[in-house]
């Protein structure tokens, strides 16, 4: 089977590399890192450049398409070449998937309308703009759409894919190989458990960026609407 992982400038590398670590340990799975060109793609923190293995034209037949998130997702939501590519490959994929705000990119392509999905806690509400039902869970499945919440949930998401394809025993084996046994030093990894004062501070700190993402989501939803109406 062939799994395609989308790259784009300013992606969050752990959104990508967490699932990639699991996928690369799955017997019978070939992974493709896909972008428009084979030029190095910079991550959001500027500390890593990732080399694509395939261009859009070289990765048309996939069993799974995966979209990570990151700040670059904002520009991607109006990138017609990328959105059209996702629509094209999704037609034949067994799974259409995302982690973090990658779900907003799928939504902007019209690939989550009428589905349940999740995203990073800071932006999950924006899914509703696209006719998607937001679900605040770590991994959300709806038919062949599977989405993971923020960043680190990508490992949970990928282990679910491994269990689907190879069975639970194989997925458990991969989990043990990578020693995925989270025991975080603080209980502030989710809005459900975070200290209220810290939560308030983080919301305030990221508010300008989230407002920018909100505007991009609203614009992408408006752009999607005419095509959906014409299909009807």
């Amino acid at each position: 089977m062939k799994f395609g992982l989308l790259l784009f400038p300013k992606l969050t590398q752990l959104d990508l590399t967490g699932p990639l670590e699991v996928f690369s340990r799955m017997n019978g799975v070939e992974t493709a890192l896909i972008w428009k060109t084979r030029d190095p793609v910079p991550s959001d923190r500027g500390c890593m450049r990732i080399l694509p293995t395939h261009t859009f034209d070289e990765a048309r037949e996939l069993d799974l398409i995966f979209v990570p998130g990151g700040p670059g997702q904002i520009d991607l939501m109006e990138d017609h070449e990328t959105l059209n590519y996702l629509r094209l490959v999704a037609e034949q994929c067994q799974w259409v998937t995302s982690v973090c705000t990658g779900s907003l990119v799928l939504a902007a392509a019209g690939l989550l309308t009428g589905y349940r999905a999740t995203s990073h806690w800071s932006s999950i509400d924006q899914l509703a703009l696209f006719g998607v039902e937001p679900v605040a869970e770590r991994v959300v499945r709806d038919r062949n759409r599977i989405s993971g919440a923020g960043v680190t949930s990508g490992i949970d998401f990928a282990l679910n894919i491994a269990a689907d394809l190879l069975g639970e025993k194989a997925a458990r084996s991969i989990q043990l190989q990578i020693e995925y046994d989270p025991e975080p030093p603080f209980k502030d990894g989710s809005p459900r458990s975070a200290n209220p004062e810290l939560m308030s501070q983080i919301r305030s700190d990221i508010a300008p960026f989230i407002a920018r993402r909100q505007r991009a989501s609203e614009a992408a939803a408006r752009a999607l609407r005419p095509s959906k109406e014409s299909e009807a």
Side-chain angles (χ1 to χ4, degrees):
M1 302 193 78
K2 191 164 188 176
F3 286 10
L5 289 71
L6 184 72
L7 300 181
F8 56 89
K10 296 185 180 178
L11 61 82
T12 296
Q13 63 85 13
L14 188 54
D15 284 9
L16 174 81
T17 55
L20 178 60
E21 183 64 36
V22 174
F23 293 159
S24 65
R25 293 171 183 266
M26 292 173 60
N27 291 332
V29 169
E30 176 188 348
T31 57
L33 300 179
I34 305 166
W35 185 231
K36 298 175 184 180
T37 71
R38 287 177 178 256
D39 296 330
V41 177
S43 67
D44 59 349
R45 302 296 171 180
C47 58
M48 181 181 291
R49 290 180 178 268
I50 304 169
L51 283 175
T53 61
H54 294 69
T55 64
F56 288 173
D57 289 337
E58 296 168 336
R60 298 281 180 164
E61 297 182 4
L62 300 172
D63 297 288
L64 176 147
I65 184 67
F66 166 74
V67 183
Q73 154 267 328
I74 292 177
D75 292 335
L76 214 58
M77 293 174 75
E78 59 179 11
D79 183 331
H80 298 296
E81 183 180 359
T82 299
L83 297 180
N84 286 335
Y85 171 74
L86 291 173
R87 293 180 187 117
L88 176 69
V89 297
E91 290 180 0
Q92 61 189 7
C93 281
Q94 185 172 341
W95 295 282
V96 177
T97 71
S98 64
V99 162
C100 200
T101 53
S103 59
L104 289 172
V105 178
L106 290 179
L111 296 172
L112 290 181
T113 304
Y115 289 85
R116 301 164 69 248
T118 192
S119 190
H120 190 277
W121 61 262
S122 67
S123 304
I124 187 173
D125 59 310
Q126 295 179 26
L127 287 169
L129 294 167
F130 301 92
V132 183
E133 180 183 344
V135 181
E137 295 176 2
R138 196 152 173 88
V139 178
V140 174
R141 296 165 171 265
D142 188 344
R143 288 157 281 175
N144 74 330
R145 268 52 168 176
I146 307 178
S147 52
V151 192
T152 59
S153 66
I155 298 176
D156 304 63
F157 149 82
L159 287 170
N160 273 267
I161 297 288
D164 274 1
L165 183 58
L166 304 178
E168 185 175 313
K169 182 177 180 181
R172 286 174 177 268
S173 174
I174 294 171
Q175 180 174 341
L176 181 57
Q177 289 172 41
I178 65 175
E179 198 171 347
Y180 182 55
D181 186 26
E183 192 174 338
F186 312 108
K187 298 187 183 224
D188 292 298
S190 161
R192 294 184 291 275
S193 58
N195 176 282
E197 183 178 347
L198 177 61
M199 190 70 194
S200 177
Q201 175 193 325
I202 294 297
R203 284 193 183 278
S204 176
D205 290 345
I206 66 175
F209 177 75
I210 298 304
R212 182 181 161 217
R213 176 177 283 155
Q214 176 77 24
R215 291 191 295 271
S217 291
E218 290 171 352
R222 287 193 298 271
L224 183 65
R225 204 167 294 127
S227 64
K228 286 296 178 185
E229 289 172 355
S230 64
E231 288 173 10

